[in-house]
Amino acid sequence: PAQPILAMFRTALGLACVATASAFSSPALLGVTRASRASATSGLSMQDKSFAMPFLSRPPALDGTMAGDVGFDPLGFSNYFDLKWLREAELKHGRVCMLGCLGFITQQKVQLPL
């Protein structure tokens, strides 16, 4: 009875790894280009609007050159900080969050002292 559960767990873990890896690939590998993004938002009223939030104007620093850049900056941080620094901070906070989640799950199975 444990074999189907183990196989299902391995399949789910493998699919989660593939989904995570696709999040870090460049838009060119996923078939999203600046031209396809521009054609989706063509028109005079949409030229300087954000693709992510069409009711806000596109921040000048977010020009679509970075992977995953769709102009989402509702608080305007890109106007005051360097984009490379913001990207590093986001990656660092995401990794700390993943470690926190791992610690939360580990506490359910491992009790100290052993």
Side-chain angles (χ1 to χ4, degrees):
Q3 291 293 16
I5 293 173
L6 185 60
M8 194 165 45
F9 176 73
R10 286 182 180 166
T11 303
L13 185 62
L15 290 174
C17 290
V18 169
T20 303
S22 69
F24 293 105
S25 62
S26 69
L29 294 176
L30 299 175
V32 177
T33 61
R34 225 184 274 181
S36 67
R37 202 178 286 159
S39 67
T41 60
S42 63
L44 293 175
S45 64
M46 293 294 289
Q47 274 185 331
D48 62 345
K49 297 292 183 182
S50 170
F51 182 72
M53 301 180 78
F55 53 89
L56 292 178
S57 60
R58 181 182 58 83
L62 300 177
D63 56 356
T65 56
M66 293 183 115
D69 179 14
V70 291
F72 183 76
D73 187 18
L75 299 178
F77 287 132
S78 64
N79 297 332
Y80 303 107
F81 300 105
D82 182 32
L83 282 180
K84 292 180 181 179
W85 184 83
L86 290 172
R87 185 177 181 189
E88 273 186 45
E90 184 176 358
L91 287 173
K92 180 180 79 169
H93 291 125
R95 290 173 181 155
V96 168
C97 181
M98 286 187 274
L99 283 174
C101 290
L102 179 66
F104 181 75
I105 293 169
T106 303
Q107 286 181 359
Q108 300 296 318
K109 300 293 181 189
V110 178
Q111 299 286 328
L112 293 177
L114 297 174

